[in-house]
Amino acid sequence: MNRFFNWIKALFNRTMDKVESPDIMLDQARRDMQGALIANRERAVQAITQKNRLQGMLDETQKKSAELEARASMALKQGDRELATQFMREKMNNDASVTTLQQSYDSAAQTVDQVKVAIKRQEEEVRKKTAEALALKVQWKQAQI
């Protein structure tokens, strides 16, 4: 009876060795890491795009503010205080938008920098794990021989 249980254990272990092949497990881990890296790169592209959009909006809003100030100045030179006051009110509202956009842009720029650093770390980790996986495969093949 003991021999029968040993035979069953041996069959089970042989099946598990085939299923848990280090080659298969290491390749899957490598694919998972590379998939995560690709997803993070896509997120980085989205973050950079958002930052660039905010930069464009910020530049446009700042130009509009400068333009409104120039118009107010021109209206004052022409003696139209009401129009100058109206332009300055618009400029003040626009400046509030500039402040909000600047905060959003600064936050987006910080996020982009963090994402870039995280991707560099992850790329390094993928290279390191790939090298370790190759070393383990070599050891496993040598053990098989």
Side-chain angles (χ1 to χ4, degrees):
M1 193 67 156
N2 197 16
R3 285 180 57 195
F4 177 71
F5 286 122
N6 286 339
W7 178 74
I8 297 226
K9 282 183 200 177
L11 284 176
F12 178 75
N13 287 333
R14 184 182 339 158
T15 304
M16 290 306 293
D17 285 343
K18 288 179 183 177
V19 172
E20 291 183 330
S21 169
D23 281 336
I24 295 170
M25 293 174 71
L26 292 172
D27 286 339
Q28 183 60 42
R30 183 183 49 79
R31 281 193 298 273
D32 291 344
M33 284 190 307
Q34 287 177 337
L37 182 60
I38 289 168
N40 285 337
R41 283 182 181 160
E42 289 173 3
R43 288 185 198 116
V45 167
Q46 291 172 351
I48 291 169
T49 301
Q50 182 65 23
K51 182 192 87 154
N52 291 341
R53 284 183 188 152
L54 284 170
Q55 178 66 47
M57 290 171 59
L58 181 62
D59 291 344
E60 185 178 312
T61 307
Q62 287 171 336
K63 285 178 187 176
K64 186 175 180 181
S65 240
E67 182 182 313
L68 287 168
E69 187 172 351
R71 285 183 179 180
S73 177
M74 185 65 78
L76 272 178
K77 287 179 183 177
Q78 294 176 352
D80 193 351
R81 289 182 58 97
E82 270 187 52
L83 187 59
T85 304
Q86 182 182 355
F87 283 139
M88 287 309 287
R89 283 187 186 139
E90 284 184 50
K91 182 188 179 306
M92 288 173 50
N93 288 336
N94 209 42
D95 287 345
S97 296
V98 166
T99 303
T100 304
L101 282 171
Q102 185 66 49
Q103 291 171 350
S104 297
Y105 174 78
D106 291 342
S107 175
Q110 185 178 18
T111 300
V112 166
D113 291 341
Q114 290 172 350
V115 166
K116 286 179 181 179
V117 169
I119 286 176
K120 285 180 184 178
R121 282 189 203 138
Q122 193 173 19
E123 286 173 343
E124 188 61 35
E125 185 70 18
V126 167
R127 281 192 285 276
K128 178 182 165 190
K129 292 292 185 181
T130 300
E132 289 174 2
L134 290 173
L136 286 173
K137 282 183 181 181
V138 167
Q139 289 174 355
W140 187 68
K141 292 290 184 186
Q142 286 176 348
Q144 282 182 328
I145 293 172

